[in-house]
Amino acid sequence: MERLRDFHAHSNYSDGRFLDAMVAAAEDAGLDGVGFADHCNVSAREEAREYAARYGFNLDVTHERRRRAIRRVREDASVAVYDAVEMDYDPRDETEIRAFLADAEFDYSLGSVHAVDGANVQVAANFESMDDADRDAVVDRYFERLLALIRSDLFDVAAHVDLPERTPPLRGRATDEQYRRVARAFADSRTVPEVNAGRALTESGVVHPAPAFLDALREEGVPVTVGTDAHVPDELRERAAFLDDFLAERGLDPVEPDGV
């Protein structure tokens, strides 16, 4: 019987732990495979370059070195190990993203909307002083950018497709109509959304996509892939077990990204 594969984990080539420790965790979790999709931003815009420098997201420079490291860990691993990337998406950067992905030749790519109007949507402090109308507008702009990501045809996977749910001031503000619009866009695209367990075991218990969003995807016949979004070994083990149960309970049969 085929076991779970985790297509979204991080390593020390962005904000995770050493590759060998993360691979060992995947083996401990009984996975069939683990994909390292480290953060990457290739925008030439000063704001984006400062953000990447601040957090050490420089896979655009180190991906060949990481590829050599992945080849080495594959030699001893009992699980498949994939060479992937998680790209920050902004419509203004599509030319740079397309050129980088064509040149780097990853096994597959994830695209993520992390920011709206320069504000990281995961940082609650960015939105605490806003009134309800302004918060709703942020969520609306997030989904507009997500639609642009899907329609760009740049990525194999769209990561954590309702990221504002992680953020208390923005949580619960997405509408059924926004979910349906995005689901229809996925139905017409090669890009697939992921079931992402990055906040599933926290107090908030957020699983991406939210239940109403997942229902909309299923109604449109949109397949999903899966990712723990783990940064440390214990996260990978715990979230992999959670995803096994989550998929079984909901009768989901995840697909692999193009390129795998």
Side-chain angles (χ1 to χ4, degrees):
M1 184 177 68
E2 184 173 337
R3 296 173 296 175
L4 183 73
R5 286 178 289 173
D6 173 12
F7 292 110
H8 184 173
H10 296 277
S11 79
N12 56 298
Y13 284 85
S14 61
D15 55 351
R17 298 293 172 84
F18 289 117
L19 276 168
D20 55 355
M22 297 298 285
V23 171
E27 293 171 332
D28 292 345
L31 298 181
D32 268 348
V34 59
F36 292 101
D38 284 303
H39 294 285
C40 185
N41 188 308
V42 294
S43 173
R45 292 177 292 109
E46 183 177 355
E47 176 187 13
R49 300 316 302 161
E50 288 180 357
Y51 176 85
R54 185 182 313 123
Y55 292 100
F57 295 164
N58 59 355
L59 197 68
D60 54 323
V61 176
T62 62
H63 65 279
E64 292 182 355
R65 186 187 314 161
R66 194 193 65 168
R67 183 163 297 154
R68 291 194 295 271
I70 286 175
R71 288 172 180 156
R72 287 194 294 271
V73 299
R74 280 174 178 161
E75 293 174 0
D76 299 317
S78 62
V79 298
V81 183
Y82 305 111
D83 175 22
V85 63
E86 180 180 4
M87 303 288 302
D88 287 323
Y89 173 77
D90 185 299
R92 295 170 291 181
D93 304 326
E94 286 190 8
T95 299
E96 291 92 338
I97 293 170
R98 193 179 303 278
F100 174 70
L101 290 176
D103 181 65
E105 297 184 321
F106 294 102
D107 291 335
Y108 59 91
S109 60
L110 279 67
S112 294
V113 176
H114 288 116
V116 173
D117 299 333
N120 190 320
V121 297
Q122 300 176 89
V123 179
N126 289 334
F127 314 105
E128 287 172 346
S129 63
M130 290 183 174
D131 61 23
D132 286 344
D134 286 340
R135 291 173 181 176
D136 288 342
V138 169
V139 173
D140 189 58
R141 289 195 293 275
Y142 169 85
F143 281 104
E144 288 298 327
R145 183 154 293 184
L146 178 60
L147 283 167
L149 181 155
I150 297 164
R151 292 165 178 161
S152 74
D153 202 36
L154 285 168
F155 306 105
D156 302 300
V157 177
H160 39 60
V161 291
D162 51 354
L163 197 62
E165 289 298 301
R166 294 187 179 186
T167 311
L170 303 178
R171 188 175 300 147
R173 295 183 177 276
T175 67
D176 287 343
E177 177 56 27
Q178 287 167 335
Y179 290 155
R180 285 192 294 268
R181 286 182 65 204
V182 173
R184 290 192 294 268
F186 275 123
D188 293 333
S189 172
R190 75 176 187 89
T191 303
V192 299
E194 65 171 4
V195 173
N196 179 294
R199 294 294 185 275
L201 300 179
T202 65
E203 184 177 346
S204 64
V206 171
V207 180
H208 308 287
F213 198 174
L214 186 56
D215 288 345
L217 293 168
R218 298 182 78 162
E219 288 170 8
E220 294 293 333
V222 175
V224 296
T225 189
V226 291
T228 63
D229 205 353
H231 294 71
V232 301
D234 283 348
E235 287 178 348
L236 195 153
R237 297 184 189 97
E238 293 165 0
R239 294 176 187 176
F242 168 85
L243 284 169
D244 257 336
D245 292 340
F246 183 91
L247 296 170
E249 288 170 4
R250 286 155 182 80
L252 293 170
D253 185 15
V255 300
E256 60 190 29
D258 283 350
V260 172

